Each structure stands twice: as C-alpha cells, then as structure tokens.
C-alpha cells in the first residue's frame, strides 16, 4: 500500500505546529510529510510590531524551519503556493507542483484594506519580516532626512497608525520606546515628533475590558500618542491621509509614515482556489476541514470559526492557530490510520496580553486582569511559550525574551 | 584699551585648529575669542564616507566642540553665519549678529555640481553628518524594500558613485565592505547588487601615482565595482542617471542610489559677502588674508592657494586646512600684539593616503609608496593624528581608530 502523502502549506504558527506534532504522531511508514513555505524561516507574527518599530532586530523574530522540524520525517520545500487544485489533489507552486492525499492550508492572512484608496500604495503594513524591516528603515530614513533639508518638514516626523486594535496598540507601545532613541540618533527635537492613532470604530481594543483599555490609552497618551477615535481614513496619499470629519467634511493629516494595522483577511489563494469564503476566510467544520473537502484542513488566519457564546468569530490569533495545529495533527494521524471519527476543535483561550512597550502591558490571564510590570512579564512568557511549543527549550534559550525586570 | 575681538567662523579642521592654537597663543587680556559654528559638534569630514556607507557610526565621526576648546578663553556660539559685512566689521548670523576686529572664515566647502541637471534634487552628497547618515539610511531602505515588492526591481540595488576622486574612491572602498553585510541583513542575493563608478575625467585619482591607482582600481574591481571612466553624467533623474556615450548618444543607468562625490567649491557665503572668488574660493595672500582685507583670514576649503611647483591649486584637504589654522593663529597673535610682520604659509604635505575599505589602502608618506595593510595602518594614524592635533591624547583615546590588524 502506498503511504499517504500529507502536504502542509505554510510554516507559520498553525503549519509549523501541525508539522512538529505530526512528525511525532505518525511513523515514517505511515505517511510522507511535506512542508512547503515561501521562506526558509518561520517568523513570529506577533512580534513583528517590535521589528517594525526597531526595538527588536528582525533576526530575533525568525528562525530557520530546518532547526525545528525532524528532517528525517518532514521534507521541507522552499517555494510559494500559487493555487490549490482540490479536484486533482495537487498544489501549483511558483517553481513546480506537488500532489497530496491530505492537505493543510496554513498560509496565514493578508492585510485587509477595505478598499480604502491609496492604502496599498502609500501605507505600510506589519505583515512579515520584509515589511517590518522596511517600516523600520522607512522611519529611520524620515528622521535622517529631516535635518538635511533647509526648509524643515515637520510632517516627516509624523507617524500615523491606522487602527487601534491589537497590532496598532502594540506598535504604538513600541514607538513610545523607540522615538526617544530616534530623536537622539538623528539629532531631532522630540517636540517635533507626532504619533497619531486613527481608528474608525468608536473604541480602542474592542472586546477588551474597559478598565484595561483606559489604562492603555492613558499610558500611550502620556508617551505622546494622539488618539483620533471614531475617525475613518478616507484615503492615503503620498503626503499622508485624508480622514472624515463630521458628516461631510474631510481633513488632511500630513505624515511621512502611515502604517496600516487595522485589518486582516484570509489568504488570496483561498478564493483563487475556489473555496467559499468570507474575506478570504473559510468557515471550517468543527474538525477543521473545509466543507465538502474531506482531505483539506484549513487553519489559522484563513479559517473562520464562530464563538457561539458571543456569536462572533474567534479573532485570528497565534494562540488559536497553534491549538488548531495540534488538533489538525491528531486528526491527520487518525485519517492516515483510516479512523473515521475526528476530533472536534475547541479553542482554549488561556488569556490575552497586549504589550504597551518594553515594560508595560495590559491583559487577562487565567481569568485575572493585570497591568504594568506583571502583565509585561506575562506577555514575555506568552511569547516564550510559543517558542517552547514549537521548538522546545532550546529554541526558547535561543530566541526567547529574558529582558525581564 | 579695548581688547581685540577675534571671531572664527566654522569649527571644521581649519577653524578648530585656529581656536585651539589661539587660546594658547594669546592671553585673556590680549583678545576676546569667539567661535561660531552651526552645530555644537565638530565632525571629521575625511571620515564621512565611512558613516555614509554605514561602516562607522556617525557619532564616531563627531565630537562636542566644548570638549576641545578652553571655554574660559573661547566663547562658543552655536549659530549659522549668513553674511559677512566687511566694511561694518560684522557678521550676520541666523539668530543675530556679531562684530569683530579680526575675522577667520573657515566655513568649509560645498558640493560642486557643475550645473548638471537634477544632481541637487536626486543625488546625495557626502558633505556633513546629516547627509552621511541620510545616505546610509537611504541605501538601507532600498535594500529593505527590495524583498517587499512582488516585481523585484534590481535597480534598487544599484549604487552609482559620481566621481573617482578621493572621496569617491574611499566611499567605494567602504561599500566593498558594507555590501556583503547589507545582503545578509536584508536577505538579498549579492549577485543582484551593482556598484558603478562614473567619472568624466579619463583617469581615476588624478595626481596619484599610476602604479597605486592601478592597485586601487584592481582592488575595487575585485570587490565588484564597475568603472565607467571618461563618462560624463549628463543628468540625474528620480530613476538614476543619464550619461554621455560616444559623441552624441546618451545611455540611462537606472539606480536606486546616486551619490555625487566629484567636486567641491567654496562656501556660498564668500560670494554673497562680495569677496572676489573662483568657484567660491578666494585666492588668499601668502599670510592667509583676503586681498584688500587686512583683518580677514580665509582658510580651508574656501581659500585658494597655488602650488607653484606644478602651477595648480593645492587640493582642499584637511591636512592643509589644519596647517593653515596653525599659521592663522600665529598671525592673529602677531596682529593683536601690533606686529606688522606676518608669517607666510607654506603647506608641508607629509603624505596622502587613500583608504580602500577596512584593511586596504594606497598612499605616499614620507616620500614612500605603500599599499595594503601598511597603507591602511598609515591611514588610521593620519586619522588619529587629526584628533591629536586638535584634542590631544584624550580625544585620540575617545574617538581614535584602533581596529589595526
């Protein structure tokens, strides 16, 4: 009998967790495992705001995939998935194609710009290592240019962050630490720097405890962040953004840097490959398979699951993607062994911590609210835990966060 | 009797040398000394190519003026000189004005673009700390952007250096060290990077020994530099440069970065203030005073002196500017003491060393040609000597170059 061939697309939190669990769960005689990823490395999506601000080097947020997989059991291919042909059971790659018996789509999400004009062209998004270091370099270039011009353009030193969700707030927290450094490095008067957070929704960090949100806003305001809540970005331009003001008016905010951190949608491959989706996310079955496809699992940012308690989708988080990876690996092992009963996925939200910079944070963990140094410590433990889950203690030692007060 | 008031404009090599020598040569009762400089710091113009390439941090190429002058004897004013009113014996500053009995103009040179279209707008010049770090950040931004674009624009990784004179060659040498680092930092294939040196003259490093020039060219070519000698830049554009090709044809060289390192002229204030000048440089008397102005000395890049032996002007170097500063200080001391016999300035060219990167160089010192590690060592000693002359051993310890093989 031919071995089942399992192909995992993507080595983010979900895909890499699937691969590392699967390599333990099935024997080499039971299945052939192939992991396909665009880069040779995995990166910590949840740390990218730090690389973007320049508070953490981008090499600290990534590690080589070969260092965490068992290369005797998992065949790693560095390539980019272009389209999934479900009928033909194969995936078109940029440099070839690969067939499968079982497929795991764990390709991560993409920035959702909601059709706002100019955002794709003129705003930066915190989406991967490449874009993170580009944001860092762009901001540094703006600061470096400021003093070279005879007529000083203060707007060079204005940074607009679009979105007061998780990524936006965490990025603002890092900027709070980074901007004093930038001012020193480039001989810039800190009074000239403006950081403006523009959010269309009427609140910051929707879904978070209001007391914690107040703590975060007040902390960031003290660090110089100006919040423009309930303000929609109408357009991004080479000079900055246009926002709505009142019913019909608009206002221009000039800014050398615009970072869009307001939305995520599923991977473009989902719709391209004919899956039924909402904003690129497939409402998966409880066993994580795509409806109508017994051999295709979709996990992470391209999957959609409803939290019945509040009748809203679960947010696209690393925590859930990793838990999905564990379930997905067990279900694949079951399928390979011709078991028909698959496990039902149920997220186990242990807590949520939102960083506010180097030594502050807000969060809820094990049902308890926390702020300040305690929450910041918890955040670093959450970050280290993600490393531990995928690469064990040695990866934590290598890439972990130990700058603990 | 009123004390004579000596105003020194500029704290570059010439101005700072004048100030530090003068503070020893005259007593507080003999003269009031005022030093005016745009920045609070002095920078090593001859090291800027390193800061521009990113091989040396820009803070390593500058130091606070207050740390090297005797503030009991020299009054430092941070301001920018706008115009010299020789008749009225005063200098208009950006934030005020200052009168003088004796004036030293040591304001340094400016980039000479020879009227080439677009150079001011689209090319960078290695002229001060601000511009150096902007070049560094610009190149890093180009490398950081490369991988973020779906359609890779290889021209982002092309650096054109206009000019194969001293600054151009030294900058190319640093790029030779820096580019492998940049490729590693931004995951860029070194094969994609191009460094092109475009020089209108038919030779590299005019005036240098041909054997040494061959050594330099061959060294840089090995590091990947492409030389386009006898090729004039006709225009700089947002996309790169247009060069002449044969008699009538032109050719476009696309480049993400164009650095103009081909010419220097005197300070704009010279012509603005009505001094007779050639390219902003005043042909000074042998005692370093401006013709017709018994109380105005002009030294450094805005002064012009002819080397009678070859009937060509001396090049605008740090070595000569510093020697001029010493003579200028002695002549000022003589004038303050009502002596009429002033000293004649005669450059004493101890040698010239051109760096080719971290551990290679070419040069002539004490009449001997040298290349490689020996020349590189000599270059670092030259750099340290400039520190020593102005700030003594403590400044050498603080800012000196000791990365000696």
């Amino acid at each position: 009998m031919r071995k089942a061939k399992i192909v995992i697309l993507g080595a983010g939190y979900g895909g890499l967790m699937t691969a590392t669990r699967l390599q333990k769960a099935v024997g080499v005689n039971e299945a052939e495992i192939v992991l396909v990823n665009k880069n040779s490395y995995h990166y910590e999506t949840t740390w990218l705001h730090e690389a973007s601000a320049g508070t953490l080097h981008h090499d600290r947020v990534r590690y080589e995939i070969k260092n965490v997989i068992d290369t005797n059991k998992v065949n790693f291919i560095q390539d980019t998935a272009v389209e999934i042909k479900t009928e033909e059971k194969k995936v078109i790659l940029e440099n070839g194609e690969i067939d499968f018996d079982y497929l795991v789509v764990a390709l991560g999400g993409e920035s959702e710009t909601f059709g706002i004009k100019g955002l794709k062209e003129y705003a930066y998004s915190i989406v991967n290592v490449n874009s993170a270091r580009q944001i860092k370099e762009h901001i540094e270039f703006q600061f470096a240019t400021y003093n070279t011009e005879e007529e000083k353009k203060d707007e060079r030193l204005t940074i607009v962050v679009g979105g007061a969700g998780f990524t936006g707030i965490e990025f603002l927290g890092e900027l709070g630490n980074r901007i004093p450094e930038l001012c020193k490095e480039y001989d810039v008067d800190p009074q000239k720097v403006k950081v403006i957070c523009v959010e269309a929704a009427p609140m910051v960090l929707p879904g978070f405890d209001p007391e914690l949100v107040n703590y975060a806003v007040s902390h960031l305001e003290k660090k110089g962040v100006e919040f423009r809540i309930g303000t929609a970005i109408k357009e991004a331009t080479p000079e900055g953004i246009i926002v709505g003001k009142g019913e019909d008016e608009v206002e221009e905010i000039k800014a050398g840097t615009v970072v869009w951190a307001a939305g995520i949608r599923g991977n473009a491959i989902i719709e391209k490959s004919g899956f039924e989706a909402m904003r690129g996310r497939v409402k998966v079955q409880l066993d994580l398979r795509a409806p109508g496809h017994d051999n295709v699992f979709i996990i992470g940012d391209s999957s959609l699951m409803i939290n019945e308690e509040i009748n809203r989708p679960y947010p696209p988080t690393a925590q859930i993607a990793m838990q999905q990876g564990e379930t997905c690996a067990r279900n694949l092992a079951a399928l390979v062994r011709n078991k028909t009963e698959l496990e039902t996925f149920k997220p186990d939200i242990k807590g949520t911590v939102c960083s506010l910079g180097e030594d502050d944070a807000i969060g809820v963990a094990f049902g308890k609210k926390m702020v300040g140094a305690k929450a910041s410590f918890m955040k670093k433990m959450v970050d280290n835990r993600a490393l531990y889950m995928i690469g064990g203690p040695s990866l934590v030692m290598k890439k972990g966060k130990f700058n603990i007060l």
Side-chain angles (χ1 to χ4, degrees), chain A:
Chain A
M1 207 185 97
R2 198 176 70 84
K3 277 197 291 184
K5 185 169 176 184
I6 302 170
V7 172
I8 303 166
L9 300 180
Y13 293 108
L16 206 46
M17 185 61 95
T18 305
T20 55
R21 288 299 173 270
L22 198 58
Q23 71 192 6
K24 284 180 198 158
V26 301
V28 277
N29 302 325
E30 291 179 292
E32 180 190 348
I33 308 170
V34 181
L35 175 63
V36 179
N37 196 60
K38 186 176 180 162
N39 304 305
S40 66
Y41 56 84
H42 161 90
Y43 57 86
E44 304 289 323
T45 309
T46 60
W47 304 10
L48 288 176
H49 61 283
E50 296 172 76
S52 303
T55 45
L56 189 71
H57 190 274
H58 62 260
D59 282 338
R60 286 287 308 280
V61 314
R62 63 178 175 178
Y63 52 81
E64 289 298 310
I65 291 162
K66 292 214 164 167
N67 293 344
V68 294
I69 58 171
D70 179 348
T71 48
N72 294 317
K73 288 189 166 175
V74 178
N75 178 20
F76 175 66
I77 295 177
Q78 190 181 339
D79 207 334
T80 302
V82 175
E83 193 182 344
I84 300 157
K85 302 274 194 190
T86 49
E87 289 296 307
E88 302 163 50
K89 292 188 184 180
K90 70 177 183 187
V91 180
I92 311 296
L93 305 175
E94 237 170 50
N95 305 301
E97 53 180 63
I98 187 167
D99 54 359
F100 60 83
D101 296 307
Y102 299 102
L103 184 69
V104 180
V105 183
L107 287 165
E110 292 179 1
S111 181
E112 167 66 280
T113 53
F114 302 110
I116 297 170
K117 199 177 153 191
L119 269 187
K120 274 194 184 147
E121 293 81 1
Y122 306 119
Y124 295 95
S125 289
I126 302 173
V127 288
N128 55 36
V129 168
N130 290 334
S131 80
R133 67 185 161 199
Q134 190 192 25
I135 293 170
K136 169 186 173 282
E137 294 300 338
H138 172 79
I139 293 173
E140 289 182 359
F141 179 70
Q142 295 302 316
F143 274 73
T145 298
Y146 183 72
N147 276 324
T148 65
E149 293 175 311
E150 260 181 52
E151 226 174 285
K152 301 273 175 287
K153 295 195 190 97
D154 287 357
E155 60 265 30
R156 281 206 186 279
L157 308 176
T158 298
I159 301 173
V160 163
V161 177
F166 219 85
T167 307
I169 293 299
E170 290 201 319
F171 181 55
L172 290 167
E174 296 304 315
L175 286 180
N177 291 129
R178 179 63 177 149
I179 282 168
E181 291 176 3
L182 286 168
C183 289
K184 199 156 171 262
E185 179 76 2
Y186 300 102
D187 305 318
V188 165
D189 175 3
Q191 298 294 327
K192 300 279 186 190
V193 180
K194 270 194 198 172
V195 178
I196 305 169
C197 177
V198 180
E199 167 62 58
M203 80 275 281
V204 168
L205 287 174
F208 243 76
D209 178 276
E211 197 187 338
L212 294 178
V213 171
N214 282 344
Y215 179 94
V217 169
S218 142
H219 171 92
L220 292 172
E221 282 180 338
K222 258 182 235 142
K223 292 219 168 184
V225 177
E226 183 188 330
F227 281 93
R228 301 282 299 264
I229 300 304
T231 304
I233 296 183
K234 299 287 181 196
E235 188 181 342
T237 72
E239 279 78 43
I241 55 166
I242 313 282
V243 298
K245 200 179 174 182
E247 285 291 297
D248 311 300
E249 279 177 87
V250 294
E251 179 192 344
E252 184 181 12
I253 301 176
K254 290 199 172 183
T257 306
V258 178
V259 175
W260 179 247
I264 195 155
R265 53 175 289 130
N267 200 286
I269 204 173
I270 293 290
E271 280 164 352
K272 192 176 181 189
S273 305
F275 290 97
E276 200 181 311
M278 290 161 64
R279 298 196 178 281
R281 304 175 77 190
V282 176
K283 197 176 167 202
V284 291
Q285 298 172 181
L286 289 177
D287 58 18
L288 299 175
R289 287 186 288 187
H293 299 276
D294 276 356
N295 60 341
V296 178
F297 291 81
I298 301 183
I299 62 175
D301 294 351
S302 297
S303 71
L304 182 70
M305 302 197 84
I306 302 296
N307 181 348
E308 304 288 352
E309 284 172 35
I310 54 172
N311 195 31
R312 284 176 60 88
Y314 282 106
T317 67
Q319 189 174 190
I320 289 178
M322 287 169 68
Q323 291 177 5
Q324 286 178 325
E326 291 184 282
T327 300
C328 182
R330 284 193 294 268
N331 282 349
L332 281 163
L335 286 172
V336 164
R337 288 161 192 158
N338 293 315
K339 293 184 187 159
T340 49
E341 190 107 341
L342 295 193
E343 189 179 311
T344 285
F345 176 69
K346 173 88 183 121
D348 172 20
I349 312 292
K350 290 183 174 25
T352 310
V353 191
C354 177
S355 154
L356 299 173
E358 199 186 355
D359 50 11
D360 207 346
I362 56 170
V364 178
F366 310 110
K368 280 179 74 175
K369 288 195 272 185
M370 52 179 81
V371 298
K374 202 173 165 185
S376 180
F377 174 83
M378 187 59 76
K379 179 75 180 180
K380 281 160 190 152
M381 292 307 101
V382 169
D383 287 347
N384 290 344
R385 186 171 184 274
L387 295 170
Y388 181 81
M389 295 287 284
I390 287 171
S394 71
L395 189 62
V396 177
M397 290 313 293
K398 227 162 102 181
K399 297 281 175 177
K401 292 184 175 169
F402 301 105
N403 51 338
I404 288 158
L405 294 179

